[in-house]
C-alpha cells in the first residue's frame, strides 16, 4: 500500500474530537507531563480557540517521543481536553482518556493483524460520518464504487446514505459488495494514519477484502469476485439459513450428528463459538434442541441461504467461471487463510480457492492460532462493528496467552470520533501511528 498525501488523509474541519498525545518513560512521568500541560492550559485562555487547541495537539505530536507509558486525550474543546488531562495527571478514569503501555519486548514497530469479518456487521448509516469528514475514506469508497460499477446497477454511496429508491442492505447481492467496500476503505484509512498491517486474515467473504489489502488481488479483481458471487448466491436464497451457537464445539458437533447430511459446520470462530448452516426444516429442529439445552444462539443477520454447506455445490460451475479471469499474485502482507487455517502464498488464490472459500468450513480459529503462534499480538477488525472478538478472545485464553483485540467502528458509532478513539487504542498498545493527518 502506498500512503496517500496528507491532504487526502486529513480529518475534515469540524469533524469533532482533537487528539492530544502524551507518553512517558514511567507512569509517574506520564502523570507529570499531564500535570504540566494542565497547568499551562489553566493559565492560557487562548487555548479556548479551536485553532489553538489544534495547535497544542500538533505540538505534542511534533515534540513528543513515543515512550512506553502512553495516553491519548480526546476532546472537542478546551474544557473537554482539560478535564481529560487533569484526570490523567491525577490517575483518575475518564471517558475521553485512552491509556496503556506499549510492550517494548515487541520492538518499536508493532504491526497489527487486519481482520476482515464476513456478513453480519452491517447497520444503517454505518459510513456516513466518515464519508462527510474524511476525504481519504470518501475517496476509497468512490474507488470501490467505480470497481463495482460494471457488475451492479446501484450506487454504493447512495446505498450507504440510504437514499430513497436504493436497494436495501438485506439483499445478499447488495450487502456483500457494500461490506467489502467498507472494509477495504477502513483498512486504507488506518494505513493513511501510518498503521501498517503485519498480516491479514478474512472470515468467509472477508477473505476477498483481506486478499486485496494483502496485495494479492487488484481492486478490480476483488470487486468482480464479491459482486458476481453475491449475485450467484441469490439462486440458493430461501432454502437455508445460518445460526451462530455459543457453546463448546465438541458439544455442538455431537448434537449435529442427528442432522448429518442436512446441517453443516459453517465456521469455527473459537473454542466455544460455531456457526451452523443448512436446510430450513433441519435448522428449525436444531434450534429447538439448542433452546431445550439452554444454549445461546442467534441467526446470522440478513442471511437466508446456507453458505459453507452442500447447498453451495449447485453453484460450483458458476463460481469457477466468474473467478476464472482473475490474476492472483504474491502479496505484500502475510495472508493467513481461513480455508486452510494457516499462512499461504497468495498466488494460490485462484478460482478453485474462491469456490472452496464459500463451500468449506471457515477455519477461523485455526488461522488465529497460527497468527498467535507466529507472534502476532494485536488484532484490529476493519469493519462497521466487531463480531469476531468473542471467538478470538476465547482462543487466546485457551492458549494461555494475551492479545489486544480492537474494533474500528461500532454499531451506531461510525464517525471520526470513534475512529480517532480506535487510533488511540492502537497507539497506547504499541502500534506506530502517524498523528499528523489529524491536524492537517
Amino acid at each position: 500500500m502506498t500512503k496517500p498525501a496528507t491532504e487526502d488523509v486529513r480529518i475534515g474541519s469540524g469533524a469533532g474530537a482533537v487528539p492530544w498525545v502524551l507518553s512517558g518513560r514511567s507512569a509517574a512521568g506520564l502523570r507529570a507531563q499531564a500535570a504540566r500541560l494542565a497547568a499551562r492550559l489553566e493559565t492560557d485562555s487562548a487555548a479556548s480557540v479551536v485553532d489553538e487547541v489544534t495547535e497544542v495537539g500538533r505540538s505534542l505530536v511534533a515534540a513528543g517521543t513515543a515512550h512506553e507509558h502512553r495516553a491519548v486525550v480526546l476532546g472537542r474543546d478546551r474544557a473537554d481536553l482539560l478535564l481529560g488531562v487533569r484526570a490523567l495527571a491525577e490517575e483518575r478514569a475518564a471517558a475521553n482518556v485512552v491509556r496503556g503501555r506499549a510492550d517494548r519486548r515487541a520492538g518499536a514497530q508493532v504491526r497489527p493483524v487486519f481482520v476482515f469479518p464476513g456478513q453480519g456487521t452491517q447497520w444503517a448509516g454505518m459510513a456516513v460520518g466518515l464519508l462527510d469528514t474524511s476525504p481519504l475514506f470518501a475517496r476509497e469508497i468512490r474507488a470501490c464504487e467505480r470497481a463495482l460499477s460494471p457488475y451492479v446497477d446501484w450506487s454504493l454511496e447512495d446505498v450507504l446514505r440510504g437514499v430513497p429508491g436504493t436497494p436495501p442492505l438485506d439483499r445478499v447481492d447488495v450487502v456483500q459488495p457494500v461490506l467489502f467496500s467498507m472494509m477495504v476503505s477502513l483498512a486504507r484509512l488506518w494505513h493513511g494514519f501510518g498503521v501498517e498491517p503485519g498480516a491479514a486474515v478474512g472470515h468467509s467473504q472477508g477473505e476477498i477484502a483481506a486478499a486485496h489489502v494483502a496485495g494479492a488481488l487488484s481492486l478490480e479483481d476483488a470487486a468482480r469476485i464479491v459482486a458476481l458471487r453475491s449475485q450467484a448466491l441469490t439462486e440458493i436464497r430461501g432454502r437455508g439459513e445460518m445460526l451462530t451457537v455459543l457453546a463448546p464445539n465438541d458439544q455442538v458437533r455431537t448434537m449435529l450428528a442427528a442432522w448429518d447430511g442436512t446441517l453443516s459446520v459453517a465456521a469455527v470462530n473459537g473454542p466455544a463459538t460455531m456457526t451452523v448452516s443448512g436446510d430450513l426444516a433441519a435448522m428449525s429442529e436444531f434450534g429447538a434442541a439448542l433452546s431445550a439445552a439452554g444454549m445461546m444462539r442467534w441467526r446470522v443477520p440478513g442471511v437466508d441461504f446456507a453458505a459453507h454447506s452442500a447447498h453451495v455445490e449447485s453453484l460450483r460451475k458458476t463460481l469457477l467461471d466468474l473467478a476464472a479471469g482473475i490474476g492472483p499474485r504474491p502479496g505484500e502482507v502475510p495472508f493467513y487463510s481461513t480455508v486452510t487455517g494457516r499462512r499461504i502464498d497468495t498466488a494460490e488464490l485462484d478460482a478453485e480457492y474462491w469456490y472452496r472459500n464459500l463451500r468449506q468450513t471457515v477455519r477461523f480459529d485455526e488461522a488465529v492460532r497460527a497468527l498467535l503462534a507466529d507472534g502476532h499480538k494485536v488484532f484490529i477488525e476493519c469493519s462497521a462493528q466487531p463480531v469476531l472478538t468473542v471467538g478470538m478472545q476465547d482462543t487466546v485464553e485457551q492458549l494461555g496467552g494475551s492479545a489486544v483485540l480492537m474494533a474500528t467502528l461500532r454499531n451506531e458509532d461510525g464517525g471520526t470520533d470513534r475512529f480517532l478513539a480506535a487510533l488511540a487504542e492502537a497507539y497506547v498498545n504499541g502500534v506506530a501511528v502517524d498523528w499528523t493527518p489529524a491536524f492537517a
Side-chain angles (χ1 to χ4, degrees), residues 6-19:
T6 299
E7 64 177 346
D8 292 327
V9 179
R10 68 187 185 277
I11 297 294
S13 61
V18 172

Side-chain angles (χ1 to χ4, degrees), residues 97-153:
V97 177
V98 182
R99 70 184 82 189
R101 184 174 180 178
D103 184 356
R104 283 304 184 191
R105 293 172 299 175
Q109 300 292 329
V110 175
R111 292 192 171 189
V113 178
F114 279 5
V115 181
F116 300 91
Q119 193 167 333
T121 63
Q122 66 272 13
W123 49 275
M126 59 187 169
V128 175
L130 286 174
L131 276 173
D132 289 341
T133 56
S134 170
L136 171 60
F137 183 81
R139 189 189 72 185
E140 294 303 317
I141 285 291
R142 287 160 192 157
C144 290
E145 179 158 338
R146 288 192 297 273
L148 290 169
S149 62
Y151 315 109
V152 303
D153 60 0

Side-chain angles (χ1 to χ4, degrees), residues 11-281:
I11 297 294
S13 61
V18 172
W20 283 0
V21 182
L22 302 94
S23 71
R25 291 187 176 87
S26 64
L30 178 60
R31 291 195 301 272
Q33 187 190 18
R36 290 193 298 271
L37 182 56
R40 171 186 164 188
L41 289 172
E42 288 165 349
T43 59
D44 185 2
S45 60
S48 62
V49 181
V50 171
D51 287 346
E52 293 298 327
V53 167
T54 302
E55 187 57 38
V56 170
R58 184 183 290 111
S59 65
L60 286 169
V61 168
T65 300
H67 295 298
E68 183 176 356
H69 295 263
R70 303 179 179 185
V72 180
V73 181
L74 298 163
R76 291 172 173 263
D77 54 30
R78 179 182 184 278
D80 282 347
L81 290 158
L82 181 55
L83 285 173
V85 171
R86 282 174 177 161
L88 183 60
E90 298 166 8
E91 208 167 4
R92 292 185 287 105
N96 66 331
V97 177
V98 182
R99 70 184 82 189
R101 184 174 180 178
D103 184 356
R104 283 304 184 191
R105 293 172 299 175
Q109 300 292 329
V110 175
R111 292 192 171 189
V113 178
F114 279 5
V115 181
F116 300 91
Q119 193 167 333
T121 63
Q122 66 272 13
W123 49 275
M126 59 187 169
V128 175
L130 286 174
L131 276 173
D132 289 341
T133 56
S134 170
L136 171 60
F137 183 81
R139 189 189 72 185
E140 294 303 317
I141 285 291
R142 287 160 192 157
C144 290
E145 179 158 338
R146 288 192 297 273
L148 290 169
S149 62
Y151 315 109
V152 303
D153 60 0
W154 40 265
S155 161
L156 172 61
E157 188 168 349
D158 285 353
V159 170
L160 288 169
R161 293 185 181 278
V163 173
T166 55
L169 283 175
D170 60 2
R171 269 177 43 183
V172 63
D173 57 324
V174 176
V175 71
Q176 290 198 359
V178 168
L179 290 178
F180 164 82
S181 302
M182 168 71 68
M183 292 187 288
V184 166
S185 299
L186 288 175
R188 289 292 296 173
L189 190 56
W190 278 104
H191 189 264
F193 280 80
V195 179
E196 301 277 356
V201 63
H203 187 289
S204 189
Q205 77 147 65
E207 277 208 306
I208 306 171
H212 169 61
V213 170
L217 295 178
S218 68
L219 182 59
E220 291 72 22
D221 279 352
R224 172 185 173 86
I225 294 171
V226 75
L228 294 183
R229 92 169 194 173
S230 66
Q231 292 165 17
L233 281 169
T234 62
E235 297 180 25
I236 60 172
R237 287 187 65 188
R239 293 170 44 197
E241 61 183 6
M242 302 176 71
L243 194 73
T244 297
V245 185
L246 291 186
N249 292 340
D250 290 345
Q251 187 176 354
V252 177
R253 289 181 188 276
T254 298
M255 293 180 65
L256 278 173
W259 291 275
D260 185 32
T262 57
L263 296 180
S264 304
V265 176
V268 181
N269 298 337
T273 310
M274 179 183 290
T275 301
V276 176
S277 182
D279 297 352
L280 288 173

Side-chain angles (χ1 to χ4, degrees), residues 4 57 135 181 205 229 232 307 336 358-359 399:
S181 302
Q205 77 147 65
R229 92 169 194 173
Y336 286 72
L358 188 59
R359 170 61 183 93
L399 294 173

